[in-house]
Amino acid sequence: MSLASRGLVGAVRYYQRVLSPRKPVPTCRFSPTCSEYAAQAIALHGAVKGGWLATWRVARCNPLVPGGYDPVPDHFPARRHSGGAGSTSEIITASESSTAPESSTAPPPALPTPPVPRKSPSPTPKKRRVS
């Protein structure tokens, strides 16, 4: 564990031993408590990523979130991509495309199905005049 991680975990442990017992009632809606979650996250993921997980957890500690069991994830959550046009996951450089083996290329995407022809509405009969 890095020096920064040890310092942050030490600060959390100080909070748990000295400051937390002075609160009148337990206030954490999660299990493990937010401070224990912070110590575990920093020890497992390091100062930056663990600190981010701890900050996110404390931010979720509000009446709008039901709480409950929420353990520290084993792996830091992956970045979410929007998947829209121009996202980095769709961009392939010339060097990447030339080094890819031919056998591993994916089949081309399926063509969209043609639209189903719609029946035109039947003409309404014209009213006949009776003379």
Side-chain angles (χ1 to χ4, degrees), residues 4-44:
S5 296
R6 280 187 280 175
L8 288 174
V9 170
V12 170
R13 297 293 182 211
Y14 174 80
Y15 167 80
Q16 289 176 328
R17 280 192 315 266
V18 177
L19 300 177
S20 183
R22 294 180 184 202
K23 294 189 301 187
V25 293
T27 57
C28 194
R29 49 192 330 109
F30 290 103
S31 175
T33 63
C34 293
S35 59
E36 184 60 31
Y37 182 95
Q40 291 176 5
I42 293 167
L44 182 63

Side-chain angles (χ1 to χ4, degrees), residues 3 17 20-21 24 27 45 60 62-63 66 76 79 105 113 124:
L3 184 61
R17 280 192 315 266
S20 183
T27 57
H45 297 290
R60 289 183 292 144
N62 62 60
F76 192 76
R79 174 187 270 172
T105 58
T113 57
T124 56

Side-chain angles (χ1 to χ4, degrees), residues 36-62:
E36 184 60 31
Y37 182 95
Q40 291 176 5
I42 293 167
L44 182 63
H45 297 290
V48 175
K49 290 180 180 180
W52 169 250
L53 287 171
T55 302
W56 180 245
R57 169 71 174 267
V58 171
R60 289 183 292 144
C61 192
N62 62 60

Side-chain angles (χ1 to χ4, degrees), residues 42-128:
I42 293 167
L44 182 63
H45 297 290
V48 175
K49 290 180 180 180
W52 169 250
L53 287 171
T55 302
W56 180 245
R57 169 71 174 267
V58 171
R60 289 183 292 144
C61 192
N62 62 60
L64 301 177
V65 178
Y69 182 65
D70 182 28
V72 176
D74 291 332
H75 302 286
F76 192 76
R79 174 187 270 172
R80 294 183 186 168
H81 293 287
S82 64
S87 70
T88 56
S89 61
E90 294 178 13
I91 299 172
I92 299 176
T93 61
S95 63
E96 291 174 347
S97 64
S98 63
T99 59
E102 289 295 322
S103 61
S104 67
T105 58
L111 296 175
T113 57
V116 178
R118 296 186 183 186
K119 294 180 181 178
S120 60
S122 59
T124 56
K126 294 183 178 179
K127 293 183 182 178
R128 295 185 184 175

